[in-house]
Amino acid sequence: MTAELVRGQNHALPRTRLEIRVSAGSPVVAGATLGDERGTVRGVEWIAHPGSHRLPGLEVSQQAAADHRLAVDLDALPDAVHRVTVLLALPLGAGRPARFGAVAAPFVAVTGLDGTAIATFTLTGLDTESAVTAVELYRRQGVWKVRAVGQGYAAGLAEMLADQGLPEAAELAASIQEAVVSGLARSVAPPPRTPDGEGGRHPAGPVPAAGDTRPDAPGPGPSPVPQGERTAPQGADATAGGPVDYAHPRRRASAPPPPPPAAPPTAPGQPAQPVAGDATGWSMDERLYNQIWGMFEDLARAVAAHRSAVDFAESRMDQELERTLSDPRSRIGGTGDRARAEAIARRDELTARAREVLDRDLAQLAAEAAVVEPALPAAYAGWDNPVWHAYRVPMEIPMALRIGDLHLPERADLRIPLLVRLPLERGIWVDSGRTASEAAAATDGDQLRGLAMGTAVALAARLIAVHPAHEFSVHVIDPAGSGAGALAPLVAAGALDGPPAAGAAGVSSVLAQLTRRVDLVQMAIRAGAADSLPPDLDPGEQLLIVNDFPHGFDDRAVTQLRYLADEGPSVGVHLMMVADREDARAYGPVLDPLWRSLLRITPVADDHLADPWVGHAWTYEPLRTPRGSRVLEQVLALVAAARRDGRR
C-alpha cells in the first residue's frame, strides 16, 4: 500500500533499487546530494546535478524538465553515505517562473523499478521559494527510510547548497544553472502537457516492466516502460512478446477521441499490429502528432534502460573483480581465474538479457514507424513521401511541421520525425560551421555553407507550403549575395516578400520594417485594439532568413536582431539564421542569449540535439528532396498560383 507522506513523516523502504519520480507544472532542475552519518556533504563530488549527473548508485536528469526520474541503488552507494537528499530548483531565465508559488505544487513518488509506488509526497505551501529540499532517503541502524522534507529556500539553489555545508555553494549553483541553460538550448521542446497529464500523479499500481525487475536485474536506471505508456496489459507476459497496448493512455485528450482504425486480428500470443493514428486527438493530424511523440519518448526511455543496464553490468563486474583481486587467497591456484571468468560471464548474461529486451522494443517501434510514415500528412512527411505529389494549398495551419529526423546509434535506421509546433515558438539556427561530426569533417567549408543555405530554403519552402496562400511571408537578408543560388527556387516562384536585402542599407531596412511590425502589434495587443493596426501591415506570419551573419550588421542591427528573436515569435515574426558562430566570435558573450534562444540544426548529420526526457544525444538529419526530384519547385508553383488566384 502506498504511503502518502506529509512534511516530517517517514516510511521504511522495502527495497534498495528505486526510482524517485518528480512531476511539476513547469520545468525544474532535479539533483541529489550524498551525506555522511551526520548529514554532511563532503564536497562537490558528492552532488549529482545536470552538469555531473551520475554518481555510484545515483543518477539524475541532465536537464530541466517538468518530469524527472532519478535512479537510486542504495546498495551501490559508498559505505560512508547515510543520506540521499533530493533537491529541486527553478531554472533561471527570462520568462520563467521565479518562485514555486507561481507553479503547480511539485509531486514526488518513490517507486520500485516496476512502477509500484512506495511513498508519495506533494510539496504544498511553497511561495517565494525558488529551491526546495523535497525528500531524503536515510539509513538508520541498517534500515533505509524515506522522509518528506519540503524545506524551501527563497534565495535559491546557492542558499540550499550552503545549508548543506558546502563552502563553494554559490559557485556550484552558478555552474549548475549554466549547465541547465545549455541543456535547455539544445533540447527539443516537448509537446504541451494535456490536462490529464498535468501533474502526472498516478505512479501507484504495478506496471509490468519490459525488463527484468528481479533484485539482481540490470540497473539502476529509468524503467524501460514508464507508467502510463505502452505496456503489456495486466496479466500479459511482457517478456514473452505479449500483446502491447498502443493507446498511449498518458496522452489522452480532454474528451474521447474518434475511434482509431481497426487493426487486423492477431493470433493469440502475437504482438498487436500497430495502427497509424492510434493515439488520442480530435483529428487524424492530432492523433499522428501524439503518436510520433509517443514513439520518440518510448525510444528514448527504452535506450536509456538498456544503457543503464549495461553500465550496471560493467560496474558489477568491476566490483566483483576488485573483491577477487583484494583477497590474497584468490592468488593461489586457479581460484582467481575462475572468479574472473564467472564475473565476466555474469556481465555477459546481464548485457545479453538487456539487449534482448531492447531488440524487442526496437522491433515494436520499427513496426509502428513502418505503418505511421506512409499515413503522414504533408506537414509531417518527408519530401520523398508520395503525399507531396497530391499536394494542395491548405486552408488552415497544421499543428506541427517536420523539420528533420532523429535517430540513436542503437538502431540508426529507426528514424523519428522531428516535429515542431506551429506557429513556431522559437527561431531556428542552421549552423553553417564545422562541427565535430564525421559528416561535417568530410565536407569542406564552402560546401557546408551552401548546404546550410539549401537546408534553410527547404525549410522555408515547407513553411510556405503548409500555410494558407496569403498567411506566410518570407523576407531574406543576404548582405553579400552568397546565397543567391540556394534562394533561386524561392525567387523564381515569387515566394519572397521582396528581393533579398543586400548590403548594410538592405539589412537596416528589413530589420526596421520587422521591428516596427513587432512594436505595433505588441502595442495593439496591450491596448486591446488589435483591429486598429495600420492597413499596410501584413497580418500573416513572417519569416526572416538571415544569411552570413554577422556580415553587414552593425551594433544597432545586432540589437534589432536580438529583439526580433526574443519578442517576434509571440506576434508572428520568426527568425531563421544561417550562420557560423565562429564568424561572430568578436561579439563574445553578448550574443550567447541569441544562440541559446534558437533551435540549432545542421545541414549534415550531427548528434547535438537532446530529448526532453532522458537527455540522449540524438543524431539530427535534415530533410532533403530526392535526387533529381522537382517536388519543391512544383509545390512552390502551386502556392504561387493560389496566391495569384487570391488577388483576382
Side-chain angles (χ1 to χ4, degrees):
M1 184 174 179
T2 304
E4 297 182 2
L5 305 181
V6 296
R7 276 184 177 83
Q9 190 176 3
N10 61 45
H11 183 74
L13 294 171
R15 62 193 71 179
T16 57
R17 294 188 59 219
L18 308 164
E19 281 189 353
I20 300 175
R21 304 184 179 190
V22 178
S23 182
S26 178
V28 296
V29 183
T33 62
L34 304 180
D36 59 19
E37 196 166 4
R38 293 174 303 202
T40 303
V41 180
R42 295 185 177 179
V44 295
E45 67 276 6
W46 273 29
I47 302 177
H49 57 82
S52 178
H53 72 287
R54 185 177 295 168
L55 298 177
L58 177 64
E59 186 173 349
V60 304
S61 303
Q62 293 180 261
Q63 59 197 46
D67 297 289
H68 291 273
R69 291 185 176 204
L70 285 65
V72 181
D73 185 349
L74 298 174
D75 289 338
L77 295 172
D79 292 338
V81 173
H82 287 254
R83 184 176 300 176
V84 179
T85 304
V86 176
L87 315 174
L88 305 178
L90 294 172
L92 302 178
R96 299 191 180 277
R99 58 189 186 89
F100 274 107
V103 301
F107 175 81
V108 179
V110 180
T111 78
L113 296 188
D114 61 356
T116 303
I118 299 168
T120 63
F121 175 43
T122 302
L123 285 76
T124 57
L126 299 175
D127 186 11
T128 60
E129 300 88 345
S130 59
V132 62
T133 300
V135 297
E136 63 181 14
L137 314 181
Y138 64 98
R139 180 170 56 185
R140 182 165 297 168
Q141 297 178 345
V143 177
W144 282 96
K145 297 183 178 182
V146 57
R147 177 187 290 123
V149 182
Q151 173 65 52
Y153 296 86
L157 193 56
E159 181 187 13
M160 180 166 59
L161 294 173
D163 192 44
Q164 300 213 12
L166 283 172
E168 63 272 42
E171 293 80 2
L172 178 59
S175 69
I176 292 173
Q177 291 288 4
E178 177 65 23
V180 170
V181 169
S182 299
L184 288 171
R186 63 187 286 267
S187 174
V188 178
R193 296 160 65 84
T194 63
D196 182 75
E198 281 189 7
R201 306 186 179 191
H202 308 288
V207 177
D212 195 328
T213 57
R214 293 175 292 176
D216 65 342
S223 294
V225 183
Q227 166 70 17
E229 294 180 6
R230 57 184 96 167
T231 62
Q234 297 292 337
D237 184 358
T239 62
V244 174
D245 177 10
Y246 280 90
H248 300 288
R250 208 175 76 185
R251 299 172 180 84
R252 288 191 293 269
S254 57
T266 57
Q270 294 297 315
Q273 294 298 313
V275 176
D278 70 340
T280 59
W282 284 109
S283 68
M284 179 58 82
D285 284 7
E286 290 172 330
R287 283 149 53 190
L288 287 168
Y289 174 84
N290 290 334
Q291 186 170 9
I292 288 170
W293 272 94
M295 293 165 58
F296 188 8
E297 183 173 359
D298 288 350
L299 180 55
R301 294 197 185 279
V303 169
H306 174 259
R307 292 180 181 178
S308 181
V310 172
D311 288 345
F312 171 78
E314 294 286 348
S315 175
R316 172 172 160 167
M317 182 188 69
D318 291 342
Q319 292 173 6
E320 291 177 350
L321 292 177
E322 185 178 354
R323 285 195 297 269
T324 299
L325 294 174
S326 64
D327 185 354
R329 292 173 296 179
S330 67
R331 302 168 192 164
I332 301 173
T335 304
D337 292 338
R338 285 194 299 273
R340 185 178 298 105
E342 290 171 358
I344 293 173
R346 280 191 290 270
R347 186 274 314 272
D348 292 344
E349 179 188 359
L350 289 176
T351 55
R353 190 190 311 160
R355 185 70 210 193
E356 181 181 353
V357 172
L358 176 65
D359 286 343
R360 189 204 60 222
D361 292 343
L362 293 178
Q364 290 177 352
L365 285 167
E368 188 171 8
V371 299
V372 167
E373 188 71 39
L376 296 178
Y380 301 176
W383 287 114
D384 56 349
N385 192 307
V387 71
W388 284 105
H389 296 291
Y391 169 78
R392 294 293 181 270
V393 178
M395 300 298 292
E396 59 183 23
I397 301 174
M399 66 183 299
L401 177 73
R402 184 175 183 169
I403 64 169
D405 290 335
L406 299 172
H407 62 84
L408 291 172
E410 280 75 6
R411 183 159 177 176
D413 65 327
L414 179 52
R415 306 298 177 94
I416 302 294
L418 175 54
L419 302 181
V420 295
R421 289 295 291 255
L422 295 179
L424 294 174
E425 297 169 347
R426 62 192 292 199
I428 295 174
W429 164 28
V430 185
D431 191 350
S432 61
R434 188 174 299 282
T435 64
S437 71
E438 293 182 6
T443 310
D444 65 48
D446 289 340
Q447 187 178 2
L448 269 177
R449 285 187 285 273
L451 289 172
M453 194 60 188
T455 300
V457 168
L459 278 179
R462 292 179 70 85
L463 284 163
I464 293 169
V466 301
H467 282 78
H470 296 284
E471 294 187 16
F472 196 84
S473 299
V474 179
H475 311 259
V476 175
I477 290 178
D478 187 21
S482 59
L487 289 167
L490 297 180
V491 173
L496 301 182
D497 190 69
V507 171
S508 177
S509 175
V510 172
L511 291 176
Q513 174 188 348
L514 293 176
T515 300
R516 171 180 175 268
R517 185 189 188 281
V518 172
D519 288 340
L520 289 174
V521 175
Q522 284 186 335
M523 287 189 293
I525 291 174
R526 293 191 193 105
D531 56 351
S532 63
L533 289 168
D536 65 333
L537 189 140
D538 182 358
E541 300 286 310
Q542 311 286 310
L543 175 69
L544 171 61
I545 301 176
V546 177
N547 186 35
D548 273 353
F549 177 81
H551 184 80
F553 281 72
D554 56 20
D555 289 347
R556 183 171 184 273
V558 169
T559 301
Q560 288 177 313
L561 191 68
R562 288 184 55 186
Y563 175 72
L564 291 177
D566 292 340
E567 304 295 335
S570 64
V571 291
V573 177
H574 311 285
L575 179 62
M576 185 184 296
M577 290 184 61
V578 182
D580 179 356
R581 190 168 182 173
E582 281 299 303
D583 292 342
R585 63 184 179 275
Y587 287 94
V590 171
L591 287 180
D592 285 353
L594 173 63
W595 303 119
R596 288 173 178 164
S597 70
L598 305 173
L599 175 62
R600 175 176 170 254
I601 62 174
T602 50
V604 295
D606 189 85
D607 60 348
H608 66 281
L609 288 177
D611 64 79
W613 306 284
V614 182
H616 292 314
W618 292 72
T619 296
Y620 167 84
E621 291 199 25
L623 299 175
R624 302 198 185 283
T625 57
R627 185 180 297 275
S629 170
R630 293 189 55 80
V631 60
L632 188 148
E633 289 82 1
Q634 291 167 358
V635 167
L636 290 175
L638 290 172
V639 174
R643 289 180 174 181
R644 288 193 300 270
D645 292 343
R647 295 193 188 102
R648 293 175 184 171

